[in-house]
Amino acid sequence: MIIAIMKSNLVEGPVRKIGIQSRSLTGTMPNGNRYESSLERDLMILLDFDPHVKFYTPQPITIRYRDKNNIWHKYIPDGLIEYYPENTSFDSTPVLVEVKYRNEFVGKFNDWVPKFRAANQYAKENGWIFKILTDDRIRTPFLKNVKFLTSYKHIYDPVMNLEIEEKLKILSVATPQNILNTLFFDKWNQAKVLPIIWGMVARRELQIDLSVPITMNSRVWMV
């Protein structure tokens, strides 16, 4: 889960206040992070679900750059993602991000190239990476699955969790429907257990392929 936005050691926090706007969807995430578009909100939902993410700071820095006419401008990227350092193959390099809808680039990309180059250079100088994240990279089946699972994240039953784990040790690989059928015959008890299964998936206690839509016949297995 992402921690409070002011705890980053790399940046001091948002350099620009995100207020309520009539032109776009603005709001606040449960951790206090503000967003100014539904696409930024969806990115924050993904980051909050990612166990590798330590902090996400919106509007993290101000970058000065010159345009093609040699005129100075200020550019504030949308966010900075920081990861937990791990002794694994996972790349924990901080990522400076710009969040954009693909159709926004039509007729504007050449005008934006100088600020994106400046952001890329700034990121390199600080040992970060700069990325432009578009809606086709954010709004995928993975996002739909994350939105579905998030509401189950805190559903936990120690006795039933243990029973489900024991069943999966025997089955090795199963589906949510298989697990329910091996635990109970009646639909009432199955309905009570299903949210517990989704909670275990949401907390990554059970593994499932999140790149395709989740169904009752999706394969699940132990971590």
Side-chain angles (χ1 to χ4, degrees):
M1 180 180 294
I2 304 172
I3 305 175
I5 58 176
M6 296 305 293
K7 292 187 178 292
S8 170
N9 291 322
L10 299 180
V11 293
E12 295 182 359
V15 297
R16 180 172 69 84
K17 183 178 180 180
I18 301 174
I20 298 174
Q21 300 182 28
S22 59
R23 293 179 298 119
S24 61
L25 188 152
T26 59
T28 305
M29 296 292 289
N31 62 8
N33 275 339
R34 294 279 298 168
Y35 55 84
E36 55 185 347
S37 74
S38 61
L39 189 60
E40 287 185 24
R41 176 203 61 199
D42 288 347
L43 173 62
M44 291 181 189
I45 290 172
L46 290 176
L47 297 177
D48 190 54
F49 189 78
D50 189 341
H52 298 105
V53 174
K54 186 177 183 181
F55 308 119
Y56 178 73
T57 306
Q59 317 290 319
I61 55 171
T62 301
I63 299 173
R64 285 174 54 82
Y65 71 97
R66 289 178 177 175
D67 64 15
K68 59 185 178 182
N69 297 316
N70 209 31
I71 298 173
W72 283 99
H73 297 270
K74 292 181 179 179
Y75 166 45
I76 301 175
D78 286 317
L80 178 67
I81 307 170
E82 298 176 54
Y83 299 95
Y84 289 104
E86 297 182 5
N87 296 319
T88 68
S89 58
F90 181 82
D91 185 0
S92 59
T93 304
V95 180
L96 188 65
V97 297
E98 176 69 19
V99 181
K100 281 276 189 287
Y101 292 94
R102 285 185 64 87
N103 60 14
E104 291 185 85
F105 287 95
V106 178
K108 294 182 180 179
F109 184 76
N110 289 336
D111 294 331
W112 289 343
V113 166
K115 71 177 183 179
F116 292 155
R117 283 177 176 165
N120 188 56
Q121 183 61 33
Y122 187 99
K124 284 184 177 180
E125 290 172 357
N126 286 275
W128 308 344
I129 299 170
F130 174 65
K131 290 185 178 181
I132 301 171
L133 301 181
T134 51
D135 49 310
D136 61 323
R137 297 183 63 183
I138 295 173
R139 289 178 171 163
T140 65
F142 185 90
L143 174 65
K144 292 182 179 180
N145 290 333
V146 168
K147 286 183 174 181
F148 168 74
L149 291 170
T150 296
S151 60
Y152 297 99
K153 204 169 186 178
H154 302 293
I155 297 179
Y156 175 80
D157 183 297
V159 175
M160 191 54 63
N161 275 42
L162 186 59
E163 285 196 42
I164 292 169
E165 289 176 1
E166 291 301 317
K167 289 295 181 183
L168 267 177
K169 286 178 182 178
I170 297 171
L171 298 171
S172 181
V173 177
T175 69
Q177 190 63 61
N178 291 153
I179 297 170
L180 295 179
N181 292 340
T182 59
L183 289 171
F184 296 103
F185 292 109
D186 64 289
K187 299 296 183 182
W188 175 254
N189 279 311
Q190 288 185 0
K192 291 197 295 184
V193 173
L194 184 57
I196 298 172
I197 294 175
W198 294 136
M200 295 177 72
V201 173
R203 294 187 299 275
R204 308 298 179 93
E205 295 164 10
L206 301 181
Q207 293 294 303
I208 196 169
D209 185 357
L210 294 174
S211 66
V212 295
I214 294 175
T215 71
M216 292 296 292
N217 295 314
S218 297
R219 289 158 53 91
V220 295
W221 61 94
M222 293 290 295
V223 175

